[in-house]
């Protein structure tokens, strides 16, 4: 189905970035072990090479996002690592399409550590930048706040130059928080204005530092 979508989009003449998901809730922690990685390499072909892998990752015990507790402050990094290594090994870009946790100290630290992990691989977090595939130049102005320990790869073919003239190898191009919208009511991850449950702590402590 994903390949049919890519084929149809390209047949229309569209050239923009396409997000490709996997099975098993497209989880980052299971991207390799579930077979999604092998299936992508065997079955997905974009003639323009302009795709990003959309993954999801929650931080509670079963990774479902159904409860406001997180396993540990490092669980986000642990669950992203295999997918990060796969993206690097295959020179592909990833997008964390869903991440969420409760408004407590452990979850806030886990979310921040996960986003920092993404930046340390040469990615941007909440801010999504559009990349010109011909020149590898970031084409939307914006400030990218870097976490401690960022490794800058100045000779990497996938590196890009952002407006601060730092060279980054793009592994993760962005992330989005789950969720918002009036349908979610009092759900613990809601960022729906003005009074979503995640607004008092998650927004200022875990997300805004990366915008």
């Amino acid at each position: 189905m994903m390949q049919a979508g890519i084929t149809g989009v390209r047949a229309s003449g569209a050239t923009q970035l396409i997000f490709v998901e996997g099975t098993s809730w497209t989880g980052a922690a299971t991207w390799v072990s579930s077979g999604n990685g092998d299936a992508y390499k065997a079955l997905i072909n974009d003639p323009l090479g302009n795709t990003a892998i959309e993954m999801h990752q929650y931080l509670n015990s079963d990774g479902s996002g159904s409860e406001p507790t997180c396993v540990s402050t490092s669980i986000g990094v642990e669950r992203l690592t295999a997918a990060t290594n796969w993206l690097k090994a295959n020179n592909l870009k990833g997008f964390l399409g869903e991440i969420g946790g409760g408004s407590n100290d452990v979850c806030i630290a886990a979310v921040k550590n996960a986003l920092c992990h993404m930046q340390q691989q040469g990615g941007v977090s909440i801010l999504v930048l559009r990349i010109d595939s011909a020149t590898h130049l970031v084409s939307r102005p914006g400030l990218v706040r870097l976490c401690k320990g960022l490794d800058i790869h100045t000779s990497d073919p996938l590196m890009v130059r952002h407006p601060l003239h730092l060279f980054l190898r793009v592994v993760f191009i962005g992330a989005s928080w789950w969720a918002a919208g009036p349908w979610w009511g009092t759900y613990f991850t809601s960022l729906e204005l003005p009074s979503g449950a995640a607004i008092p702590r998650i927004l200022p402590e875990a997300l805004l530092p990366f915008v």
Side-chain angles (χ1 to χ4, degrees):
M1 184 171 65
M2 284 291 177
Q3 182 58 56
I6 293 171
T7 300
V9 169
R10 297 303 182 224
S12 75
T15 61
Q16 67 262 39
L17 179 71
I18 298 174
F19 285 176
V20 177
E21 294 186 340
T23 59
S24 299
W25 295 277
T26 199
T30 59
W31 183 261
V32 176
S33 62
S34 68
N36 275 328
D38 289 339
Y40 179 90
K41 291 189 292 183
L43 302 174
I44 301 298
N45 177 52
D46 175 15
L48 299 185
N50 192 21
T51 60
I53 313 302
E54 183 181 343
M55 302 175 180
H56 300 168
Q57 192 57 63
Y58 293 96
L59 310 176
N60 62 312
S61 59
D62 64 2
S64 66
S66 61
E67 55 190 3
T69 57
C70 295
V71 174
S72 68
T73 59
S74 62
I75 190 63
V77 176
E78 293 166 13
R79 290 179 175 173
L80 287 173
T81 296
T84 299
N85 292 338
W86 182 86
L87 289 168
K88 286 182 173 181
N90 291 281
N91 289 333
L92 293 168
K93 300 185 290 288
F95 179 81
L96 192 60
E98 294 181 19
I99 186 172
S103 296
N104 56 70
D105 291 345
V106 173
C107 286
I108 288 169
V111 171
K112 291 171 67 176
N113 287 337
L115 297 179
C116 274
H117 167 81
M118 293 167 63
Q119 285 193 337
Q120 288 162 348
Q121 313 312 311
V124 300
S125 294
I126 304 302
L127 177 64
V128 181
L129 302 176
R130 182 170 63 85
I131 308 302
D132 181 312
S133 60
T135 63
H136 302 292
L137 293 177
V138 171
S139 57
R140 180 186 298 175
L143 174 64
V144 179
R145 297 188 179 185
L146 307 179
C147 294
K148 183 178 179 181
L150 177 67
D151 186 12
I152 297 174
H153 302 266
T154 56
S155 61
D156 195 298
L158 292 182
M159 70 183 179
V160 298
R161 182 180 180 183
H162 77 41
L164 297 183
H165 307 293
L166 293 176
F167 289 86
L168 308 178
R169 182 187 188 279
V170 171
V171 178
F172 285 99
I173 63 170
S176 58
W177 180 262
W178 185 270
W183 188 86
W184 291 99
T186 60
Y187 190 63
F188 67 90
T189 64
S190 174
L191 286 176
E192 178 68 9
L193 296 172
S195 57
I199 288 176
R201 292 202 63 188
I202 291 291
L203 183 60
E205 296 180 46
L207 301 182
L208 286 181
F210 296 90
V211 173

